[in-house]
Amino acid sequence: MDLKDALPINKWGKNIKKPFVIAGPCSAETPEQLLSTALELKKLNVDALRAGIWKPRTRPNGFEGMGIEALKWVKDVKAESGLPFATEVGSALHVEVALKYGCDILWIGARTTVNPFSVQEIADSLKGVDIPVLVKNPMNPDINLWIGALERIHNAGISKVGAIHRGFSSFEKTKFRNTPNWQIPFELKRQFPDLALLCDPSHIGGTRDLIFDISQRALDFDYDGLIIESHINPDEAWSDASQQVTPARLAEILSELKYKTESSDNVEFISQLEQLRNKINNIDKDLIDTLAQRMIISEKIGEYKKVNSVTTYQNDRWIEIFNTRKEWARKLNVSEEFVADIFKLVHEESVRKQEEIINNEITKA
Ligand code: PEP
Ligand code: MN
């Protein structure tokens, strides 16, 4: 089965609108907490309620979720709020009981996605099931691990499979709890344009203040939906207290977000876009042409280096290139980091080409 054939989110059911919003507490704590949060969220017209039943904690002795006891609350909460219920599963046993107690949507957490054994075990336990299953990105920025997990679930016959972008763990401290690395979900979208993609701003941000901006970015990037942690009393939450928002705050966030469409039928907009895109096309052709010319010269240098037995990599020259290009970028108001990244690639390719020449027996020069 090809993951490209997974159902796009608008085919998951009747009246599925974009953005598809799943909201709810990090963890189901008590029947009252779950129900009161659900009733408030229902007023916001969210599409589904989320709550963790089993919590994967980094270190032991933290709150590990209420487990099956909390699943027993799901039936009443669903009946009273009218919201479908979504939760995380980390094993075949979780799947079995989650389905038994009426969970409507399942997701695989970031710590589970990294382990193909666990994902396959979950996939096998899902055979014959027809509910949406979402796969969070793995903790580490490995797109193939993410795609592999999505494929395992899809191969088990789950057509409503989708991805959740929740950011990536890193040793470096940034303002995010998990760095977004937007280029990874972009690459996922490039390879699987119709695959449902949700953003989890709560686990990317780690603090309430960042939820709005990350959500807006995701909508600007044409994500299909959001999964946001919301708790009736966030400061007292038993897990992830600092990143949960009250349903009232979530209402503000959802109403302030600017919803965009991928295309527009405004004729003037379409024609302007086309003109500008044509300009970009020409500039890109020139860029590639320039790169090709640069490469020819670099190959010539490689040949001279070979004849004169000089090393391919010349530290002083690289330092000079790196610094001057950043300086030129700064003067033109182009991001220095961006230009530095580009020149790292250009230099790497030059060195690779020169190595090819130097290690080749026949000298062209
Ligand atoms: C969660 O959604 O509460 C959770 C544990 O998420 P993640 O797997 O993204 O850490
Ligand atoms: Mn959480």
Side-chain angles (χ1 to χ4, degrees), residues 127-139:
K127 292 241 164 79
V129 173
D130 181 29
I131 60 170
V133 179
L134 303 166
V135 180
K136 289 205 178 192
N137 65 252
M139 302 294 284

Side-chain angles (χ1 to χ4, degrees), residues 26 50 55 203 229 240 243:
C26 178
R50 64 148 284 157
K55 301 305 298 177
H203 290 88
E229 286 189 341
D240 287 352
Q243 70 194 33

Side-chain angles (χ1 to χ4, degrees), residues 38-39 41-42 45-49 77-79 81-85 104:
L39 293 177
L41 292 173
K42 174 67 185 170
N45 251 332
V46 302
D47 298 281
L49 175 71
V77 171
K78 275 176 57 170
S81 68
L83 289 171
F85 186 79
D104 306 282

